[in-house]
């Protein structure tokens, strides 16, 4: 079986699955990413009202489902009744919001790796129940999944909690938006013994990529989609690139 942490770089990381053509963060998009030759799949997770893990990017259900309101205002069962496909195209009607455990298990059966990005909204400084980080680490532990999983977050407290819970977890420190300072991120990466720094393409110059790599960390860059963007990203020497169009990137590498 292929070890996803050992595949040649740059890794083709399907951002929210093959989300350029299929509804993001759905089983359909993940399956299509596998068929399209991605090395890794990235997805986003948040908590439902009843503290189940929901695979979704936004803090609300509005953009990607037919429900409306904050993810945390709905139970998991309610969210699973939503149509998460029609917004992309009517032909994807009724594609559900997937269950993380099913996605993870199907990725574990493949040669791909899974990047679980914990949304900042899911981090609780004083957890009101089982923290999301505990659920994720327990699952990875029970499935022997640490060697095929990368946990990442813009919420560095969430990464610190994962590290407290597991020495085996591989961590990606996300940089951009709310956490723009890559030098600060580098310090954190040392403290947490992280695997990678995951950089916004806006700051991922060749120089920055090389500097971070020379400190012993991998560099994964998000999110590059056009052929031009992908070519530029590949030339930075990044170890992996998040893209909504995995076949496009794959064809540039072959
Ligand atoms: O993990 C890379 C990328 O997914 C981070 O940004 O907003 O697309 O989750 P976002
Ligand atoms: Mg993401």
């Amino acid at each position: 079986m292929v070890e996803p942490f050992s595949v040649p770089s740059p890794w083709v990381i399907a951002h929210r699955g093959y989300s350029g053509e299929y509804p993001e963060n759905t089983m359909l998009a993940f399956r299509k990413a596998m068929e399209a030759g991605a090395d890794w799949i990235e997805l986003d997770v948040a908590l439902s009202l009843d503290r189940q893990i929901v695979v979704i990017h936004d803090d609300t259900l509005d953009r990607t489902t037919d429900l409306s309101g904050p993810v945390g205002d709905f139970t998991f069962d309610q969210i699973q009744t939503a149509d998460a496909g029609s917004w992309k195209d009517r032909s994807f009607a009724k594609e559900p919001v997937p269950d993380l455990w099913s996605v993870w298990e199907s990725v574990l059966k493949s040669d791909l790796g899974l990047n679980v990005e914990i949304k900042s909204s899911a981090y609780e400084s004083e957890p009101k129940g089982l923290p999301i980080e505990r659920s994720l680490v327990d699952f990875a532990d029970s499935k022997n999944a640490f060697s095929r999983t990368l946990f990442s977050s813009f919420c560095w407290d969430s990464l610190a909690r994962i590290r407290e819970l597991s020495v085996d977890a591989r961590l990606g420190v996300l940089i951009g938006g709310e956490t723009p300072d890559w030098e600060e991120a580098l310090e954190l990466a040392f403290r947490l013994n992280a695997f990678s720094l995951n950089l916004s393409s806006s700051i991922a110059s060749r120089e920055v990529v090389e500097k971070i790599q020379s400190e012993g960390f991998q560099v994964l860059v998000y999110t590059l989609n056009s052929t031009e963007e992908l070519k530029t990203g590949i030339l930075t020497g990044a170890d992996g690139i998040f893209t909504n169009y995995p076949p496009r990137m794959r064809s540039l590498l072959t």
Side-chain angles (χ1 to χ4, degrees), residues 25-58:
N25 283 326
T26 63
M27 195 59 104
L28 176 63
F30 302 138
R31 203 172 57 242
K32 293 293 182 182
M34 293 181 200
E35 292 168 8
D39 298 309
W40 280 75
I41 285 172
E42 185 259 8
L43 53 74
D44 309 282
V45 293
L47 278 181
S48 65
L49 181 64
D50 52 344
R51 307 187 61 78
Q52 302 298 303
I53 298 179
V54 184
V55 180
I56 195 162
H57 177 270
D58 296 1

Side-chain angles (χ1 to χ4, degrees), residues 141-191:
D141 208 11
S142 71
K143 301 287 173 184
N144 259 332
F146 287 119
S147 64
R148 313 187 69 81
T149 306
L150 178 68
F151 298 97
S152 63
S153 189
F154 288 109
C155 177
W156 295 353
D157 288 336
S158 188
L159 294 177
R161 184 174 285 158
I162 296 253
R163 176 56 76 234
E164 277 168 29
L165 295 169
S166 167
V167 291
D168 297 323
R170 278 147 160 151
L171 305 179
V173 179
L174 263 165
I175 304 161
E178 57 201 276
T179 56
D181 186 339
W182 69 265
E183 284 166 312
E184 207 184 314
L186 195 55
E187 282 173 33
L188 179 81
F190 276 111
R191 278 208 305 280

Side-chain angles (χ1 to χ4, degrees), residues 112-245:
L112 283 75
L114 184 68
N115 174 199
V116 178
E117 183 191 335
I118 306 161
K119 286 289 150 200
S120 302
S121 62
Y123 175 75
E124 300 163 301
S125 53
E126 293 174 22
K128 299 174 197 72
L130 200 65
I132 190 167
E133 296 85 0
R134 174 95 253 171
S135 308
L136 294 170
V137 164
D138 284 353
F139 184 87
D141 208 11
S142 71
K143 301 287 173 184
N144 259 332
F146 287 119
S147 64
R148 313 187 69 81
T149 306
L150 178 68
F151 298 97
S152 63
S153 189
F154 288 109
C155 177
W156 295 353
D157 288 336
S158 188
L159 294 177
R161 184 174 285 158
I162 296 253
R163 176 56 76 234
E164 277 168 29
L165 295 169
S166 167
V167 291
D168 297 323
R170 278 147 160 151
L171 305 179
V173 179
L174 263 165
I175 304 161
E178 57 201 276
T179 56
D181 186 339
W182 69 265
E183 284 166 312
E184 207 184 314
L186 195 55
E187 282 173 33
L188 179 81
F190 276 111
R191 278 208 305 280
L192 296 184
N193 189 22
F195 171 79
S196 62
L197 268 67
N198 299 3
L199 261 63
S200 160
S201 59
S202 60
I203 52 170
S205 64
R206 193 180 171 86
E207 292 68 31
V208 170
V209 169
E210 280 177 358
K211 168 77 178 124
I212 295 168
Q213 288 170 332
S214 73
E215 300 286 351
F217 300 99
Q218 308 281 306
V219 178
L220 310 180
V221 175
Y222 65 89
T223 303
L224 302 177
N225 290 321
S226 71
T227 300
E228 273 322 296
E229 287 171 344
L230 285 163
K231 281 183 179 168
T232 306
I234 291 166
L235 287 174
T236 65
D239 300 286
I241 293 176
F242 296 87
T243 180
N244 298 348
Y245 294 91

